[in-house]
Amino acid sequence: EVQLVESGGGLVKPGGSLRLSCAASGFTFSSYSMNWLRQAPGKGLEWVSSMSSSSTYIYYADSVKGRFTISRDNAKNSLYLQMNSLRVEDTAVYYCARSDIGGVFAYWGQGTLVTVSS
Amino acid sequence: DIQMTQSPSSLSASVGDRVAITCRTSPSISSSLNWYQQKPGKAPKLLIYAASSLQSGVPSRFSGSGSGTDFTLTISSLQPEDFATYYCQQSYSAPPWTFGQGTKVEF
């Protein structure tokens, strides 16, 4: 069974940093592209970042480019999102998701809440 | 970026109703359109990919159609567990991948 479990969310002040993790199990992690998406409270879904299976291809939404860094450790079956210079508008539930086909988010974690507030 | 317009934003329906949700894109995205279902407090779930392919385990009452710029998600006979919010999403070419605004299906 595919499982994705996010962690690392919490309350942080504007300008602060946070590192999210996503632990994967139930599939060959190193074979799949992985993604981060987010959903602000009461709002719709927003794609944040993607990384190919071998880390060759990395993409970011314009809204986070230069502030967020995606990474993965295939030996640890884990995906990460380093978030720096956080803004109030980054407040959201952050989801980790697996792509079976490019840009198709077939499996999602349960999400972790990031709150940016003073 | 590819623009997504989903309609309606909400709809009222009853168990057994046939429900249709539309998604329009600009520009054309061939068949690179996916549909997700999200229940309150839960992660989204993939229902349909590539416009009309049913994801494994998804009931056959869900179907997708369309290509180019106009797409439709149809629920043939609404069940109690189908009351949720539905999102379309394009996966055409390279990122950014974009979502529609969502359609809330309520009683």
Side-chain angles (χ1 to χ4, degrees):
Chain A
E1 180 195 2
V2 173
Q3 282 203 316
L4 298 168
V5 179
E6 301 92 339
S7 61
L11 175 63
V12 62
K13 288 181 167 51
S17 298
L18 215 52
R19 188 194 196 209
L20 305 184
S21 299
C22 171
S25 61
F27 65 100
T28 304
F29 181 74
S30 59
S31 296
Y32 292 89
S33 292
M34 296 296 296
N35 312 271
W36 289 100
L37 301 99
R38 68 184 181 183
Q39 186 170 37
K43 301 298 184 183
L45 298 165
E46 180 186 16
W47 167 79
V48 173
S49 182
S50 298
M51 175 173 266
S52 62
S53 57
S54 58
S55 307
T56 303
Y57 300 101
I58 297 173
Y59 304 97
Y60 296 99
D62 285 347
S63 57
V64 306
K65 202 172 294 183
R67 300 187 299 122
F68 290 11
T69 302
I70 191 172
S71 61
R72 64 190 295 163
D73 185 336
N74 287 343
K76 293 184 177 179
N77 293 337
S78 293
L79 179 73
Y80 307 100
L81 187 68
Q82 177 66 43
M83 304 186 296
N84 298 331
S85 302
L86 281 160
R87 304 168 180 168
V88 170
E89 55 265 34
D90 294 319
T91 294
V93 174
Y94 284 74
Y95 294 101
C96 162
R98 185 185 105 176
S99 294
D100 285 12
I101 307 169
V104 180
F105 310 115
Y107 295 93
W108 298 62
Q110 85 289 349
T112 187
L113 176 62
V114 172
T115 303
V116 185
S117 174
S118 53
Chain B
D1 296 358
I2 294 173
Q3 303 304 310
M4 314 284 292
T5 304
Q6 191 175 335
S7 61
S9 56
S10 66
L11 66 90
S12 296
S14 300
V15 173
D17 284 353
R18 182 180 183 89
V19 168
I21 298 168
T22 63
C23 187
R24 178 163 289 176
T25 71
S26 178
S28 170
I29 60 168
S30 185
S31 296
S32 301
L33 194 284
N34 315 301
W35 291 97
Y36 300 84
Q37 175 194 66
Q38 187 179 32
K39 297 180 179 179
K42 300 294 187 181
K45 172 187 174 183
L46 177 66
L47 299 176
I48 302 284
Y49 63 94
S52 61
S53 295
L54 195 66
Q55 175 70 351
S56 176
V58 174
S60 58
R61 63 181 179 272
F62 292 93
S63 63
S65 62
S67 67
T69 61
D70 293 290
F71 302 88
T72 302
L73 172 70
T74 302
I75 309 173
S76 60
S77 177
L78 198 67
Q79 297 302 300
E81 60 268 29
D82 300 337
F83 290 93
T85 299
Y86 294 84
Y87 294 93
C88 61
Q89 176 247 333
Q90 63 82 16
S91 53
Y92 185 73
S93 187
W97 315 127
T98 46
F99 289 83
Q101 306 93 316
T103 295
K104 186 174 184 179
V105 176
E106 44 196 356
F107 180 74

